[in-house]
Amino acid sequence: MKQGIKAEDLYRLRFVSDPQISPDGEKVAYVVKVINQDKNYESHLYICGLNSGASVRWTNGRHKDSNPRWSPDGKTLAFVSDRSGINQVWLIPSEGGEAVQLTSSVKGAGSPVWSPDGKSLLVSVTVEEEKEEENALKPLEVTHLKYKADGKGLLNDAYSQLVHIDVETREETQLTSGAYQHFDAAWSPDGQKIAYCKSRGQGDAISYASDLIVRTLNGTETKINQETGSFSDPVWSADGEHLAFLGQTFEYGSATLGNVYNALVGSGKVVCLTRDFDDHAGDAMVGDIHYGHPSPKPVWSKDGKGLYFIASCEGNASLHYVTMEGDVSQITRQKCHVYGYTMAVENDYAVFAASSPTVPGDLFYASLSNLSEEVRLTDVNEELLSTISLSQPEEFTFINDEGFTVQSWLLKPPHYTEGNKYPMVLEIHGGPHAMYGNTFFHELQLLAASGYVVLYSNPRGSYGYGQQFVKACMEDYGGGDYRDLMAAVNHVTAHCDFVDPEQLVVTGGSYGGFMTNWIVGQTSRFKAAVTQRSISNWLSFYGVSDIGYYFTKWEIGNHVWEDPDKLWHHSPLRLSSKVETPLLILHGEEDFRCPIEQGEQLFIALKQQGKRVKFVRFPKSDHNLSRNGDPGLRVNRLQYIVNWFDDHLKPDGQGGRAHENIAADRV
């Protein structure tokens, strides 16, 4: 009998991303990420022949190779690699041969974009103000709101600039400057202009916003967007007259749906094409192996009358199409997570990178006129999946107290036996403006393999169900969202006789960690809880988080000086005296999104009161430990979660520990 998946199987998982069809339409380049025998991440380029379906590994070594981009003539692949010690742009012949380093930036380079004639590249280079003494110990003078960032630490005066490189002469010309981040560059079809996105200046109170810029090669800049917001992924129409892009205004703060826009470059007129589409244009799916893959830009149709894009809807990330009149249709109908694509619209086909609950991620080929008949191009986890048993989720919905439909899923243990009763874990996603759905999730499969029924749900506040639903938790954290989660638990315990209602546990990270903290302050229904990278005190979060100064206002409704009582009302720390559930607190030492002091405050408050609590601090780990942290620590984290639950459930032999034999295969 096949075993269930283990925490250590993280080392065997392979992840496919960033497919790129060659100009002749005969091949597709893509990236495969793995964890090597030293438990370090590495990634390599592969090329698959679309006629033969055979893949060849194109780069080797213990490096991170990524972002393959074909030259217009298809003879060269530009890519990003850290093989020289820091990310630089490299070139490699598409017929095989040695890679040649193109850039030598002190702070690294990336995001290569070929000019239409193939003679030059735009690359993103980090430029930093010169320091008198590179290694001198000196204080950091802070004058801006945005002075730190999760995953980056304390920020200095370093900004991404766009550099033009002549491929033959290697001559470099810096095109942008100033205290702004420049990203997502795109050449116009005639090679005379570039579009790119530009962050607001550090002195701006809304420094988290970005603008879309069109720049001529002689340096004239024109701002395209007419509203304040966050804009990205510009793509030119074939005639160069239109510029499509993605973005969101901040009408509902961080709960605002993403949209697809079209700008008529000559007149400056901008139209939101998806204004009547009540779902999120973008990939809002949460998971623990897909983090960091490049998000694909919209693609113009062959006739230039519409655009293809990814949208998140009812637990799926699917390909959609929008016309210039704003009519939106869903193109892919499979229950899955499309997280990447590349299209040959002239030849009417596309290659997708897609995942499902039992497929970590692979490439699929399909005609744009008949996407239901897909052909699988890769099966990179065939060896692993042939030896383990995964669980297929069962979907259910219910109507909440506001009349919204709430979508949820159950994972049964892979060796589920009719007639047994099983403990159940409630998993709560972060965001809160994100979405559980039909994608592979190692942690959920591990909990199922450890003998737990896993309940995961999209309560109000989640993407995928319209603007009113996604903003419904704002200024009400711990209100309607809490009721939705408890309603999901009640639905399962009332309708599923295989779930033991006396054996419930709960966990979640980030917002899910906040909600875990809130739940154990409201009820003792759960026998154990694990809170991860959580929020416990909105008053301190405001000043210590890298986003606290605006996120708190958006989500809770007040700045810290406006109504501190409201911030305290929504703080789980306030409820610490009511906590009776054994609580495990997991936190990264270098988390700047939900800083570790949030976990520290909760631990001290509970410990001082003699509550059952343990605090685990993960070194050199930021907010994304579970997705891209040190592989060994990721495995440790998963083991802590399962062991905490196992240790606090009743070992009564009455079916409550029906997972005992399965759990023996875990470690």
Side-chain angles (χ1 to χ4, degrees):
M1 183 172 65
K2 291 182 180 180
Q3 296 181 346
I5 198 168
K6 303 176 184 177
E8 296 88 345
D9 285 330
L10 175 69
Y11 304 140
R12 301 171 63 193
L13 280 166
R14 296 160 65 85
F15 176 61
V16 173
S17 67
D18 203 10
Q20 299 290 321
I21 293 174
S22 61
D24 63 9
E26 295 182 359
K27 301 179 288 292
V28 60
Y30 61 98
V31 178
V32 177
K33 181 171 71 174
V34 299
I35 296 173
N36 63 34
Q37 64 188 32
D38 296 325
K39 298 179 182 178
N40 294 314
Y41 295 102
E42 64 182 54
S43 56
H44 305 104
L45 307 187
Y46 285 69
I47 293 181
C48 175
L50 293 177
N51 292 325
S52 66
S55 288
V56 177
R57 181 165 159 175
W58 218 247
T59 61
N60 295 282
R62 295 194 173 179
H63 315 302
K64 298 184 184 75
D65 300 330
S66 62
N67 296 98
R69 296 297 182 266
W70 297 93
S71 61
D73 62 8
K75 294 181 179 180
T76 306
L77 271 173
F79 66 101
V80 178
S81 178
D82 66 351
R83 59 185 61 199
S84 62
I86 191 172
N87 276 346
Q88 302 288 354
V89 176
W90 292 68
L91 304 177
I92 190 171
S94 60
E95 297 302 320
E98 292 295 325
V100 176
Q101 186 171 338
L102 179 66
T103 64
S104 299
S105 174
V106 174
K107 296 295 181 180
S111 305
V113 183
W114 287 96
S115 62
D117 61 12
K119 294 181 180 180
S120 60
L121 282 159
L122 284 176
V123 301
S124 176
V125 173
T126 300
V127 177
E128 187 175 16
E129 288 187 0
E130 293 185 8
K131 297 180 179 179
E132 294 181 6
E133 298 179 56
E134 184 66 28
N135 298 318
L137 186 65
K138 62 179 183 179
L140 174 69
E141 296 181 359
V142 177
T143 58
H144 305 305
L145 280 170
K146 188 178 177 66
Y147 71 92
K148 62 181 180 179
D150 187 64
K152 297 180 180 179
L154 297 176
L155 303 177
N156 49 27
D157 293 325
Y159 302 93
S160 58
Q161 308 293 352
L162 298 179
V163 173
H164 177 271
I165 303 178
D166 186 292
V167 173
E168 183 176 352
T169 67
R170 301 299 200 261
E171 181 182 354
E172 299 185 6
T173 304
Q174 185 174 320
L175 300 181
T176 61
S177 61
Y180 312 96
Q181 307 294 347
H182 302 82
F183 55 98
D184 284 356
W187 286 95
S188 63
D190 61 6
Q192 298 303 304
K193 297 183 288 292
I194 58 172
Y196 56 88
C197 299
K198 178 181 179 180
S199 68
R200 293 293 181 95
Q202 287 282 44
D204 198 316
I206 49 172
S207 57
Y208 45 83
S210 59
D211 296 317
L212 179 62
I213 307 296
V214 169
R215 183 188 191 277
T216 62
L217 291 185
N218 64 14
T220 302
E221 288 190 355
T222 302
K223 189 176 82 167
I224 299 299
N225 55 291
Q226 300 167 348
E227 298 177 275
T228 298
S230 176
F231 302 99
S232 64
D233 300 296
V235 56
W236 295 86
S237 60
D239 59 13
E241 295 183 1
H242 296 262
L243 189 63
F245 56 99
L246 301 179
Q248 62 156 303
T249 62
F250 299 122
E251 182 180 0
Y252 301 105
S254 50
T256 309
L257 296 179
N259 282 296
V260 181
Y261 294 84
N262 176 47
L264 190 60
V265 178
S267 68
K269 181 181 179 181
V270 177
V271 176
C272 178
L273 298 178
T274 52
R275 59 191 176 278
D276 297 324
F277 176 59
D278 195 25
D279 268 310
H280 178 65
D283 181 359
M285 192 78 75
V286 295
D288 56 2
I289 69 165
H290 298 100
Y291 183 82
H293 65 85
S295 297
K297 295 184 176 185
V299 174
W300 286 93
S301 61
K302 180 179 179 179
D303 59 11
K305 295 182 179 180
L307 291 142
Y308 297 96
F309 66 100
I310 287 178
S312 299
C313 182
E314 297 181 353
N316 299 300
S318 307
L319 189 68
H320 287 64
Y321 179 78
V322 59
T323 68
M324 291 297 99
E325 293 72 39
D327 297 321
V328 179
S329 55
Q330 184 175 334
I331 303 301
T332 54
R333 296 287 177 177
Q334 296 89 335
K335 289 190 173 183
C336 69
H337 175 201
V338 175
Y339 59 87
Y341 57 78
T342 178
M343 294 187 179
V345 293
E346 295 294 330
N347 298 320
D348 189 46
Y349 72 85
V351 174
F352 301 92
S355 173
S356 72
T358 56
V359 177
D362 274 303
L363 298 185
F364 300 84
Y365 168 97
S367 166
L368 287 171
S369 58
N370 187 10
L371 291 172
S372 62
E373 294 186 5
E374 61 186 30
V375 176
R376 189 168 184 163
L377 295 175
T378 65
D379 193 358
V380 298
N381 288 290
E382 180 181 14
E383 180 180 352
L384 171 62
L385 297 182
S386 68
T387 64
I388 63 174
S389 179
L390 296 176
S391 298
Q392 185 67 41
E394 300 175 10
E395 180 183 328
F396 68 92
T397 61
F398 61 89
I399 306 299
N400 71 8
D401 55 14
E402 294 292 332
F404 290 119
T405 299
V406 178
Q407 188 178 25
S408 307
W409 294 265
L410 279 181
L411 276 181
K412 293 178 181 176
H415 302 117
Y416 168 82
T417 301
E418 194 76 31
N420 277 353
K421 283 188 176 292
Y422 295 87
M424 184 176 77
V425 54
L426 169 64
E427 274 267 5
I428 309 169
H429 67 63
H433 312 304
M435 179 183 74
Y436 275 138
N438 292 303
T439 193
F440 183 82
F441 209 129
H442 182 206
E443 180 178 326
L444 303 188
Q445 290 286 349
L446 172 67
L447 287 164
S450 301
Y452 293 86
V453 172
V454 183
L455 166 61
Y456 52 110
S457 181
N458 285 332
R460 69 190 77 180
S462 303
Y463 275 131
Y465 311 93
Q467 184 64 79
Q468 294 305 308
F469 190 89
V470 76
K471 75 181 187 70
C473 72
M474 298 177 73
E475 302 187 33
D476 188 38
Y477 273 39
D481 46 1
Y482 167 74
R483 295 195 299 274
D484 285 354
L485 291 166
M486 293 303 98
V489 173
N490 292 339
H491 180 94
V492 172
T493 55
H495 293 87
C496 302
D497 59 6
F498 53 85
V499 170
D500 186 342
E502 300 300 317
Q503 298 259 320
L504 305 178
V505 293
V506 59
T507 186
S510 196
Y511 163 82
F514 158 83
M515 186 53 69
T516 299
N517 297 339
W518 187 265
I519 285 172
V520 297
Q522 299 287 331
T523 177
S524 57
R525 183 177 189 179
F526 296 88
K527 302 305 179 185
V530 180
T531 182
Q532 308 170 51
R533 57 191 186 280
S534 71
I535 296 171
S536 66
N537 184 352
W538 286 103
L539 288 164
S540 62
F541 176 85
Y542 185 94
V544 297
S545 169
D546 65 341
I547 63 171
Y549 59 94
Y550 63 87
F551 188 82
T552 306
K553 172 69 172 179
W554 280 349
E555 297 295 315
I556 306 301
N558 295 102
H559 291 296
V560 68
W561 61 87
E562 292 175 334
D563 189 353
D565 290 341
K566 181 169 177 56
L567 270 59
W568 183 239
H569 173 76
H570 291 281
S571 297
L573 188 64
R574 177 179 64 84
L575 305 170
S576 63
S577 65
K578 300 180 179 180
V579 175
E580 300 299 333
T581 304
L583 182 65
L584 174 64
I585 302 171
L586 305 181
H587 225 115
E589 293 280 5
E590 298 176 5
D591 189 335
F592 278 20
R593 183 59 40 85
C594 296
I596 197 168
E597 62 87 31
Q598 295 286 306
E600 289 173 331
Q601 291 188 66
L602 186 59
F603 172 73
I604 293 299
L606 294 174
K607 195 69 177 175
Q608 181 75 352
Q609 298 174 75
K611 308 287 186 176
R612 291 170 293 176
V613 61
K614 179 187 286 188
F615 187 21
V616 180
R617 306 168 66 115
F618 292 86
K620 298 181 179 180
S621 300
D622 60 29
H623 197 63
N624 293 304
L625 166 65
S626 66
R627 298 175 280 248
N628 71 344
D630 175 86
L633 292 179
R634 288 178 66 180
V635 169
N636 290 157
R637 171 188 157 275
L638 292 168
Q639 292 169 335
Y640 270 116
I641 294 170
V642 176
N643 290 339
W644 184 261
F645 289 155
D646 284 355
D647 290 345
H648 288 88
L649 291 179
K650 299 176 183 177
D652 55 14
Q654 302 301 312
R657 296 286 287 179
H659 64 298
E660 200 155 40
N661 292 332
I662 302 169
D665 293 331
R666 238 190 315 106
V667 292

